[in-house]
Amino acid sequence: MGTRPLLNRRLAGHGTTIFAEMSALATATGSINLGQGFPDTDGPQEIARAAADAVLSGRGNQYPPGPGIPELRQAVAEHQQRFHGLAYDPDTEVLVTAGATEAIAAALLALLEPGDEVIAFEPFYDSYAACIAMAGATRVPLTLRAPSFRPDLDELRSLITPRTRLLLVNTPHNPTGTVLTPEELAAIAELAVEHDLLVVADEVYEHLVFNGRHHPIAALPGMRERTVSISSAGKTFSFTGWKVGWVTAAPALVAAVRTAKQYLTYVSAGPFQYAVADALRLPGTYFENLRDDLRRKRDLLADGLAEAGFQVFRPEGTYFITTDITPLGEKDGLEFCRSLPGRCGVVAIPNVVFYDNTDAGRSLVRFAFCKTDAVLQEAVTRVRRL
Ligand SMILES: *Cc1c(COP(=O)(O)O)cnc(C)c1O
């Protein structure tokens, strides 16, 4: 095969995700896995039953329409109106994808030219760097720094160059739990308009804001025509294995994203699309209970980690708590996470793998709290042995 590497240079360095390594470690050691962000209880029974009914009654078992089934596109449009006051045409402004992951990939592959620069908050969600690389573009990190993890908007301005094409905004932010304020979003939107930038907004935690609420950047002046908003059923309905996501955007943007999407998966998750249409129409109490329940879990784990000696940055949203291990006499998050299963039977994720500026993330470690209370309590008991 010669000496040329098999993996092309765009993907070099994106070999395996930290989740594969840490989940394997969790299995091998029988540890509690607070690494990967998936709930350990399934979403609503009636929604699971709707998916089963769809399979058994033959709805969606064959290729659904490319843009997604009309029922789901209609339900996504209603959801955007109901929760955010945003009006989207289900026929031209909504696209169903294989989770938010495919929506992110399709948006970046469709909208970027090689050599374009993409500004994204770091720590990055792990698929961003790989997708930007696959598009041949360059990522430019705007570092969210402890203890506040707020974006420095002057720094953002200074990072914009003539090559900047796109801002990749994630709020609520994984892994820091930062929820952008209306003022921060307005400042970001102004820069996008001033420099004619596209925005891809990853909003998969839109319903997991513990105080106040999520503000979609697409709602701000001048943003509707330049923003691709992305969300997903995985986190909101606790069915991360279903991989049903969606894009809402102006028709030209949806058409661009659809062009890439149709050659990635073409379509996916036929019967689940029917069930997610039902889920999006659940009463307000469902969404309130989900949020209140996770807020309580956040506090359970945050208090326990603080008692165990971690510096805890209590998140405003998402499934995750970021901590600093320095007070435990530790410096290196990666080493710490590799040793933690052996030391106390708990798996966490070192935030440093989500940074280009590794110094900013070296001693930070992320724990997921989307787990049953019993699991969280046991994890707390174990880390207190440290
Ligand atoms: C989980 C997650 C995704 C992926 O969502 P899927 O619908 O499972 O593909 C995207 N972005 C962020 C920030 C996430 O945490």
Side-chain angles (χ1 to χ4, degrees):
M1 296 293 291
T3 53
R4 181 176 146 179
L6 288 175
L7 188 64
N8 70 46
R9 82 175 73 113
R10 292 186 303 284
L11 282 170
H14 297 281
T16 47
T17 77
I18 190 73
F19 301 106
E21 179 186 344
M22 291 300 165
S23 292
L25 201 53
T27 310
T29 57
S31 293
I32 296 179
N33 190 353
L34 302 187
Q36 204 165 12
F38 61 89
D40 58 0
T41 23
D42 288 344
Q45 265 301 303
E46 72 262 38
I47 302 304
R49 195 165 301 116
D53 287 348
V55 171
L56 292 172
S57 63
R59 290 192 301 157
N61 290 331
Q62 309 305 330
Y63 295 135
I69 62 164
E71 290 86 342
L72 178 53
R73 283 185 278 118
Q74 179 67 40
V76 168
E78 281 170 23
H79 170 277
Q80 294 301 75
Q81 181 64 250
R82 173 181 166 199
F83 288 98
H84 307 309
L86 289 166
Y88 285 102
D89 175 349
D91 291 328
T92 58
E93 299 187 314
V94 179
L95 174 67
V96 176
T97 56
T101 305
E102 189 198 28
I104 293 161
L108 297 176
L109 289 171
L111 299 172
L112 294 172
E113 292 288 355
D116 283 346
E117 291 175 1
V118 177
I119 302 176
F121 302 141
E122 76 168 356
F124 309 104
Y125 177 64
D126 79 326
S127 83
Y128 297 170
C131 288
I132 293 167
M134 285 193 277
T138 303
R139 64 179 185 272
V140 176
L142 175 65
T143 309
L144 304 180
R145 291 176 195 282
S148 76
F149 297 110
R150 309 306 315 175
D152 179 335
L153 299 165
D154 293 323
E155 190 182 341
L156 173 58
R157 176 180 291 278
S158 76
L159 294 175
I160 297 172
T161 76
R163 293 227 287 249
T164 309
R165 176 63 170 161
L166 191 148
L167 304 178
L168 180 46
V169 175
N170 172 214
T171 181
H173 181 261
N174 171 6
T176 64
T178 294
V179 176
L180 296 182
T181 64
E183 294 72 29
E184 287 165 342
L185 287 164
I188 294 168
E190 262 175 49
L191 286 173
V193 171
E194 183 185 331
H195 296 275
D196 197 21
L197 306 176
L198 297 171
V199 171
V200 170
D202 179 345
E203 306 184 327
V204 300
Y205 297 102
E206 61 184 307
H207 288 289
L208 294 178
V209 176
F210 303 127
N211 301 302
R213 64 178 193 89
H214 167 72
H215 298 276
I217 195 166
L220 294 170
M223 294 309 289
R224 196 184 188 287
E225 64 268 30
R226 65 180 70 251
T227 303
V228 174
S229 303
I230 293 173
S231 194
S232 155
K235 311 295 165 48
T236 298
F237 301 110
S238 304
F239 286 117
T240 57
W242 288 12
K243 299 298 289 188
V244 178
W246 51 86
V247 163
T248 51
L253 286 167
V254 163
V257 178
R258 192 174 56 227
T259 304
K261 181 255 164 1
Q262 68 189 337
Y263 299 114
L264 293 173
T265 55
Y266 178 47
V267 292
S268 59
F272 294 128
Q273 292 192 30
Y274 290 91
V276 172
D278 289 354
L280 286 167
R281 294 181 173 126
L282 285 168
T285 48
Y286 168 77
F287 299 90
E288 288 155 24
N289 291 342
L290 173 83
R291 183 199 57 207
D292 293 350
D293 201 37
L294 274 154
R295 185 198 293 116
R296 199 177 42 69
K297 291 176 187 297
R298 171 198 69 176
D299 290 336
L300 197 172
L301 185 61
D303 294 346
L305 290 169
E307 279 163 32
F310 292 82
Q311 181 182 3
V312 173
F313 307 102
R314 204 169 291 246
E316 303 172 292
T318 78
Y319 277 175
F320 306 107
I321 295 173
T322 288
T323 62
D324 194 317
I325 57 176
T326 312
L328 296 167
E330 304 272 351
K331 284 197 281 289
D332 188 306
L334 187 56
E335 241 170 60
F336 179 79
C337 288
R338 285 186 171 137
S339 72
L340 198 60
R343 290 168 68 189
C344 72
V346 173
V347 163
I349 295 290
N351 290 29
V352 68
V353 300
F354 308 130
Y355 284 84
D356 287 333
N357 295 310
T358 47
D359 283 345
R362 183 99 49 214
S363 60
L364 303 178
V365 168
R366 186 193 90 171
F367 294 85
F369 55 83
C370 48
K371 308 291 174 184
T372 58
D373 289 5
V375 166
L376 293 174
Q377 259 142 12
E378 175 60 22
V380 165
T381 305
R382 293 184 184 190
V383 292
R384 288 177 74 168
R385 289 188 207 129
L386 280 176

